[in-house]
Amino acid sequence: MMESALTARDRVGVQDFVLLENYTSEAAFIENLRKRFKENLIYTYIGSVLVSVNPYKDLEIYNKNHMERYRGVNFYEVSPHIYAVGDNSYRSMRTERKDQCILISGESGAGKTEASKKILQYYAVTCPASEQVQTVKDRLLQSNPVLEAFGNAKTLRNDNSSRFGKYMDIQFDFKGAPVGGHIINYLLEKSRVVHQNHGERNFHIFYQLIEGGEEDLLRRLGLERNPQQYQYLVKGNCPKVSSINDRSDWKTVRKALTVIGFNEDDVEELLNIIASVLHLGNVQYGEEDGSACITSDTQIKYLARLLGVNGTVLTEALTHKKIIAKGEEVGPLNLEQASSARDALSKAVYGRTFTWLVNKINTSLTYTHYSVIGLLDIYGFEVFQHNSFEQFCINYCNEKLQQLFIELTLKSEQEEYEAEGITWEPVQYFNNKIICDLVEEKFKGIISILDEECLRPGDASDLTFLEKLADTVGGHPHFVTHKLADAKTRKVMGREEFRLLHYAGEVNYNVNGVFLRCVKTVCVCVCVCVCVCLQVMCMSENKILNQCFDREELSDKKRPETVRYVFFLMFFYVMKQLRFLRFTWCVFLSSSGRFDEVLIRHQVKYLGLMENLRVRRAGFAYRRRYEVFLQRYKSLCPDTWPNWQGKLSDGVATLVKHLGYKPEEYKLGRSKIFIRFPKTLFGTEEALETRKHSLGEIPIAVQAWWRGILARRRARRRRQAADTIRRFIKGFIHRHEDRCPENEYFLDYVRYSFLMKLHRNLPKNVLDKSWPTPPAALTEASEHLRQLCMQNMVWSYCKKISPEWKHQMEQKMIASELFKDKKDNYPQSVPKLFVSTRLNGEDINPKVVQALGSEKMKYAVPVTKYDRKGYKARPRQLLLTSSGAVIVEEAKLKQRIDYGALKGISVSSLSDGLFVLHVLSEDNKQKGDVVLQSDHVIETLTKIAICSDKINNININQGSITYTVGQGKECVIDFTPGSELLVAKAKNGHLSVVSVNS
């Protein structure tokens, strides 16, 4: 428990800041951190909050033995640790049946990413496992190196800094085994793709590919093994980092991609995109008559191949813009605009690919909602000299989290006091709602003003945005601009900055670039331009880019989503999740490898740790359930030692009276004792240490008494075992008789054994028909259980079916009803998936599409039509729309059969692909029935039957089919089996079809 380390407090401080005597002193808080850090005790609690100081070195506290030490124990029973947080959340999820969240915050370099990995590793080792569960565990763990490669980078503060926010759900089944997961990413720092500060690097994956990629791979991608050759990798002038082994990390990432479930095609397409970003950075521009032109074709050739686009079209996209003027699209880009176009395309391609990667990982984790533990790895509140719009979003995010945490902490404290019948004393704390409202309030908050300025016609800019801010919120006590500030403040504020007074202190934000970054177009050139790069990416043959860039965006007239909109949409989703979760906050501090007091004090302030402590200490420093308190300290009072026989509350009252507690030092609740001052607890703990020595010598009489108790217990267990054996043997002898006292134990044992065997050997899926043979007494119950088990497996299976797969199965079911055991080539169609169409858009003449107008095309397939005179075979296309079937010859609509005029469909029972569409003879538009042949006859007829609602009108004929032509004349098709498919006019005038035996 927490108390176990109190006697060593002079050497290592206190392991819970709540027990600090001078809890309002920041100096005492930091001194306690320093003492513990010096002894490599990097973890300390503030109640249930875990505070960690990054030691910047490996500590032997993360092995399997440590995991077992924290497994299933009380939160305060052992010393503070990230494993204790993970285990407490896990057990709370299991026992309380309530989803949990572990919120990890802190500044760059504080160890947040490592902490989330440690929690995942803890669950991987300590949770129940099976072969399927082990696969999920492996994928959860291997998602980390992949996300780090694509989303982390070296910064000035951290060699492995997460440049995106991450919320991960870990899903557990009813046994407590991890069975899935889901990741939400937000606010990826895409600007890093094209620019890095001096001493920083681009995302890890670029360097890993160049350093670790095989020679053949680099040659195919057109890359050199030298990062200095690429403009996007030289800005920070930091190609090598001593603490990073890019070559080794490359092998780790490649292995991780395989474990997660990426096939070779996925990896190839992904690496093509990464290489294309590097080539984009090397696209060089010249200038002709004030317009930009690309000076080298080499990069364009590589880009065209890697991105799967037309090189000429890509060149046009990187040098021209669209200006909508009188229906014409004109306008070359100047040099500056073209460079912006190139960089914006690079950021968009990388950003969308990263989102695709996260979604791909989510798919591999088979997300299914059972019980949840969420891991929220969030940027920390940070203060730089020139803070950007992204940092503004991050700081606001932390402001909201601080508000939420204080609210929930106060709420839980107040609820505990009320439940225990103790008067709640209101707590004074800094309520940062006023700052949150300043940012998010509708119509007059900073975000609303920014949106309004983005939509405003005219010459809107960053400076007009700043002026609008000053006019609207200039009188707010937490806001100031250079124009509104006093003379002293103006000396440290630029004219393009505004200042917010956060709960953690004053922060200046620079508006340069805020306006442009706020509008999230694929490329930002000038406000009136819409970059044609979007169109080019939508035409890409790269399967990943084809999913990342939706063609519907081209015709979407809605206002583009903004960076602000995307960030806040995701953030409010996370905030909503947190309000319904029981969450634990972990705060991580950066120490630069040593205890830098100035740096630590700065973080303690802006992370609001002192505010947290004040809320936790609002009244009582220590509270424990009566049974726990009495069990630990009962030896200090003769009336409670060795055992207390009465009510627990009376026992605790007797104990504290004997210890001399004063009325103002404690309160007794309904189930807990509350102690106000740490010194009271420390005095009790010291008395216990003294008492332990006097308890060390046990009198001989007591030893003999205890030995007698143990002997009697052993004898009783032996008698019970012998009696059990006799009852079992007697029951076996009478096992075939009706239930009676002689056999009831045996029969119960048999039932129990069957149920346990069943529990261990339940069917794995709906196709598994195995089921243990039940004893006679459980035959009926066994059948009920078997049906329930099957229903549950079917329900679970159906729940996982996607809409696309459901549609596929519905079609296959109809095909089965129509053709199973009726048509010879049906079995060959079963393993083949039905496709949505057999003809792509470019296969159908535009004139045909124009002639169809607004009719939605549901299916298209090439067919052969046999004409009415001489049965000559002619290539045609069969198009199914919502209202009818259309037969097309190149650009002409040769025949249209409305579904209302379709009487039925005839097909032979053999393996040929011929079928006849029978039409109403009264329909003057038709010239009779139509004879067609399809290489995909089962699929085609199923589609026709569904579209026309003629499922019951398909006739499968043996030997021959009779159909009508113009003026009521009848013709016949004869079908015979043979070794080679042959369709020809027979001597008797019939159409003869020789069908190959399947």
Side-chain angles (χ1 to χ4, degrees), residues 12-45:
V12 293
V14 293
Q15 61 184 22
D16 192 330
F17 282 110
V18 174
L19 295 178
L20 269 181
E21 196 69 46
N22 191 3
Y23 70 93
T24 59
S25 169
E26 187 179 271
F29 187 100
I30 293 173
E31 177 60 19
N32 190 62
L33 273 180
R34 187 193 63 77
K35 282 183 180 180
R36 295 178 64 76
F37 183 81
K38 188 177 179 181
E39 296 294 329
N40 288 329
L41 299 172
I42 63 172
Y43 296 115
T44 313
Y45 291 134

Coordinates of all heavy atoms in Angstrom, one line a residue, residues 12-45:
V12 N 13.6 9.2 0.2 CA 13.0 9.3 -1.2 C 11.7 10.1 -1.2 O 10.9 10.0 -2.2 CB 12.7 7.8 -1.7 CG1 13.9 7.1 -1.9 CG2 11.8 7.1 -0.7
G13 N 11.5 11.0 -0.3 CA 10.3 11.8 -0.3 C 9.1 11.0 -0.1 O 9.1 9.9 0.5
V14 N 7.9 11.5 -0.5 CA 6.7 10.8 -0.5 C 6.3 10.3 -1.9 O 6.6 11.0 -2.8 CB 5.6 11.6 0.2 CG1 5.8 11.9 1.6 CG2 5.3 12.9 -0.6
Q15 N 5.7 9.1 -2.0 CA 5.4 8.6 -3.3 C 4.0 9.1 -3.8 O 3.6 8.8 -4.9 CB 5.4 7.1 -3.3 CG 4.5 6.4 -2.3 CD 4.7 4.9 -2.4 OE1 5.8 4.4 -2.7 NE2 3.7 4.2 -2.0
D16 N 3.3 9.9 -2.9 CA 2.1 10.5 -3.3 C 2.1 12.0 -2.8 O 2.2 12.2 -1.6 CB 0.8 9.8 -2.7 CG -0.5 10.3 -3.4 OD1 -0.5 11.4 -3.8 OD2 -1.4 9.5 -3.4
F17 N 2.1 12.9 -3.8 CA 2.2 14.3 -3.4 C 1.1 14.8 -2.5 O 1.2 15.8 -1.8 CB 2.1 15.2 -4.7 CG 3.4 15.2 -5.4 CD1 3.5 14.6 -6.7 CD2 4.5 15.9 -4.9 CE1 4.7 14.6 -7.4 CE2 5.7 15.9 -5.6 CZ 5.8 15.3 -6.9
V18 N 0.0 14.0 -2.4 CA -1.1 14.3 -1.5 C -0.6 14.3 0.0 O -1.2 15.0 0.8 CB -2.3 13.4 -1.7 CG1 -3.4 13.6 -0.7 CG2 -2.9 13.6 -3.1
L19 N 0.4 13.5 0.2 CA 0.9 13.4 1.6 C 2.0 14.4 1.9 O 2.7 14.3 2.9 CB 1.5 12.0 1.8 CG 0.4 10.9 1.7 CD1 1.1 9.5 1.9 CD2 -0.6 11.1 2.8
L20 N 2.3 15.4 1.0 CA 3.2 16.4 1.3 C 2.6 17.3 2.4 O 1.5 17.7 2.3 CB 3.5 17.3 0.0 CG 4.6 17.0 -0.9 CD1 4.6 18.0 -2.0 CD2 5.9 16.9 -0.2
E21 N 3.5 17.6 3.4 CA 3.0 18.4 4.5 C 2.7 19.8 4.0 O 1.6 20.4 4.3 CB 4.1 18.4 5.6 CG 3.6 18.9 6.9 CD 2.6 17.9 7.6 OE1 2.9 16.7 7.6 OE2 1.5 18.4 8.0
N22 N 3.6 20.4 3.3 CA 3.4 21.7 2.7 C 3.0 21.6 1.3 O 3.8 21.9 0.4 CB 4.8 22.5 2.9 CG 4.6 24.0 2.6 OD1 3.4 24.5 2.3 ND2 5.6 24.7 2.6
Y23 N 1.8 21.2 1.1 CA 1.3 20.9 -0.3 C 1.1 22.1 -1.1 O 0.9 22.0 -2.3 CB 0.0 20.0 -0.2 CG -1.2 20.8 0.3 CD1 -2.1 21.4 -0.6 CD2 -1.5 20.9 1.6 CE1 -3.2 22.0 -0.2 CE2 -2.6 21.5 2.1 CZ -3.5 22.1 1.2 OH -4.6 22.8 1.6
T24 N 1.0 23.3 -0.5 CA 0.8 24.5 -1.3 C 2.1 25.1 -1.8 O 2.1 26.1 -2.6 CB 0.1 25.6 -0.5 OG1 0.9 25.9 0.7 CG2 -1.3 25.1 -0.1
S25 N 3.2 24.6 -1.4 CA 4.6 25.1 -1.8 C 5.1 24.4 -3.1 O 5.3 23.2 -3.1 CB 5.6 24.9 -0.6 OG 6.9 25.2 -1.1
E26 N 5.3 25.2 -4.1 CA 5.9 24.7 -5.3 C 7.3 24.2 -5.1 O 7.7 23.2 -5.7 CB 5.9 25.8 -6.4 CG 6.3 25.3 -7.8 CD 6.3 26.5 -8.8 OE1 5.2 26.7 -9.4 OE2 7.3 27.1 -8.9
A27 N 8.0 24.9 -4.2 CA 9.4 24.5 -3.9 C 9.4 23.1 -3.2 O 10.3 22.2 -3.6 CB 10.1 25.5 -3.0
A28 N 8.5 22.8 -2.3 CA 8.4 21.5 -1.7 C 8.0 20.4 -2.7 O 8.5 19.3 -2.7 CB 7.4 21.5 -0.6
F29 N 7.1 20.8 -3.6 CA 6.7 19.9 -4.7 C 7.9 19.4 -5.5 O 8.2 18.3 -5.8 CB 5.7 20.5 -5.6 CG 5.0 19.7 -6.6 CD1 3.8 19.1 -6.4 CD2 5.6 19.4 -7.8 CE1 3.2 18.3 -7.3 CE2 5.1 18.6 -8.7 CZ 3.8 18.0 -8.5
I30 N 8.7 20.4 -6.0 CA 9.9 20.2 -6.8 C 11.0 19.4 -6.1 O 11.6 18.5 -6.6 CB 10.4 21.5 -7.4 CG1 9.3 22.0 -8.4 CG2 11.7 21.3 -8.2 CD1 9.6 23.4 -9.0
E31 N 11.1 19.8 -4.8 CA 12.2 19.1 -4.0 C 11.8 17.6 -3.8 O 12.7 16.7 -3.9 CB 12.2 19.7 -2.6 CG 13.2 19.1 -1.6 CD 14.7 19.1 -2.2 OE1 15.0 19.8 -3.1 OE2 15.5 18.2 -1.7
N32 N 10.5 17.3 -3.7 CA 10.1 15.9 -3.6 C 10.4 15.1 -4.9 O 10.9 14.0 -4.9 CB 8.6 15.8 -3.3 CG 8.2 14.4 -2.9 OD1 8.7 13.8 -2.0 ND2 7.3 13.8 -3.7
L33 N 10.2 15.8 -6.0 CA 10.5 15.2 -7.3 C 12.0 15.0 -7.4 O 12.5 13.9 -7.9 CB 10.1 16.2 -8.5 CG 8.6 16.1 -9.0 CD1 8.4 17.1 -10.1 CD2 8.3 14.7 -9.5
R34 N 12.8 16.0 -7.0 CA 14.3 15.9 -7.1 C 14.8 14.7 -6.3 O 15.7 14.0 -6.7 CB 14.9 17.2 -6.6 CG 16.4 17.3 -6.8 CD 17.1 18.4 -6.1 NE 16.9 18.3 -4.7 CZ 17.6 17.4 -3.9 NH1 18.6 16.7 -4.5 NH2 17.4 17.3 -2.6
K35 N 14.3 14.6 -5.0 CA 14.8 13.5 -4.2 C 14.5 12.1 -4.8 O 15.4 11.2 -4.9 CB 14.0 13.5 -2.8 CG 14.5 14.5 -1.8 CD 13.7 14.4 -0.5 CE 14.2 15.4 0.5 NZ 13.4 15.2 1.8
R36 N 13.4 11.9 -5.4 CA 13.0 10.7 -6.0 C 13.8 10.4 -7.3 O 14.2 9.3 -7.6 CB 11.5 10.6 -6.2 CG 10.7 10.6 -4.9 CD 9.2 10.6 -5.1 NE 8.7 9.4 -5.7 CZ 8.6 8.2 -5.1 NH1 8.9 8.1 -3.8 NH2 8.2 7.1 -5.8
F37 N 13.9 11.5 -8.1 CA 14.6 11.4 -9.3 C 16.1 11.0 -9.1 O 16.7 10.2 -9.8 CB 14.6 12.7 -10.1 CG 15.2 12.7 -11.4 CD1 14.6 12.2 -12.5 CD2 16.5 13.2 -11.6 CE1 15.2 12.1 -13.8 CE2 17.1 13.1 -12.9 CZ 16.4 12.6 -13.9
K38 N 16.7 11.5 -8.0 CA 18.1 11.2 -7.7 C 18.2 9.7 -7.4 O 19.3 9.1 -7.6 CB 18.5 12.0 -6.5 CG 20.0 11.9 -6.1 CD 20.3 12.9 -5.0 CE 21.8 12.8 -4.6 NZ 22.1 13.6 -3.5
E39 N 17.2 9.1 -6.9 CA 17.2 7.6 -6.6 C 16.6 6.8 -7.7 O 16.3 5.6 -7.4 CB 16.5 7.4 -5.2 CG 17.1 8.0 -4.0 CD 18.5 7.5 -3.7 OE1 18.7 6.3 -4.0 OE2 19.3 8.2 -3.2
N40 N 16.5 7.4 -8.9 CA 15.9 6.7 -10.0 C 14.4 6.3 -9.8 O 13.9 5.3 -10.4 CB 16.7 5.4 -10.4 CG 18.0 5.8 -11.1 OD1 18.1 6.8 -11.8 ND2 19.0 5.0 -10.9
L41 N 13.8 7.0 -8.9 CA 12.3 6.8 -8.7 C 11.6 7.8 -9.5 O 11.3 8.9 -9.0 CB 12.0 6.9 -7.2 CG 12.6 5.9 -6.3 CD1 12.4 6.2 -4.8 CD2 12.2 4.5 -6.6
I42 N 11.3 7.5 -10.8 CA 10.9 8.5 -11.7 C 9.4 8.7 -11.6 O 8.8 9.7 -12.2 CB 11.3 8.2 -13.1 CG1 10.6 6.9 -13.6 CG2 12.8 8.1 -13.3 CD1 10.8 6.6 -15.1
Y43 N 8.6 7.8 -10.9 CA 7.2 7.9 -10.9 C 6.7 8.4 -9.5 O 7.2 7.9 -8.5 CB 6.5 6.6 -11.2 CG 6.8 6.1 -12.6 CD1 7.5 4.9 -12.8 CD2 6.3 6.7 -13.7 CE1 7.7 4.4 -14.1 CE2 6.5 6.3 -14.9 CZ 7.2 5.1 -15.1 OH 7.4 4.6 -16.4
T44 N 5.7 9.3 -9.5 CA 5.1 9.8 -8.2 C 3.6 10.0 -8.5 O 3.3 10.4 -9.6 CB 5.8 11.1 -7.7 OG1 7.2 10.9 -7.8 CG2 5.3 11.4 -6.3
Y45 N 2.8 9.8 -7.5 CA 1.4 10.0 -7.7 C 0.9 11.4 -7.2 O 1.6 12.0 -6.3 CB 0.5 9.0 -6.9 CG 0.6 7.6 -7.4 CD1 0.8 6.5 -6.6 CD2 0.4 7.3 -8.8 CE1 0.9 5.2 -7.0 CE2 0.5 6.0 -9.3 CZ 0.7 4.9 -8.4 OH 0.8 3.7 -8.9

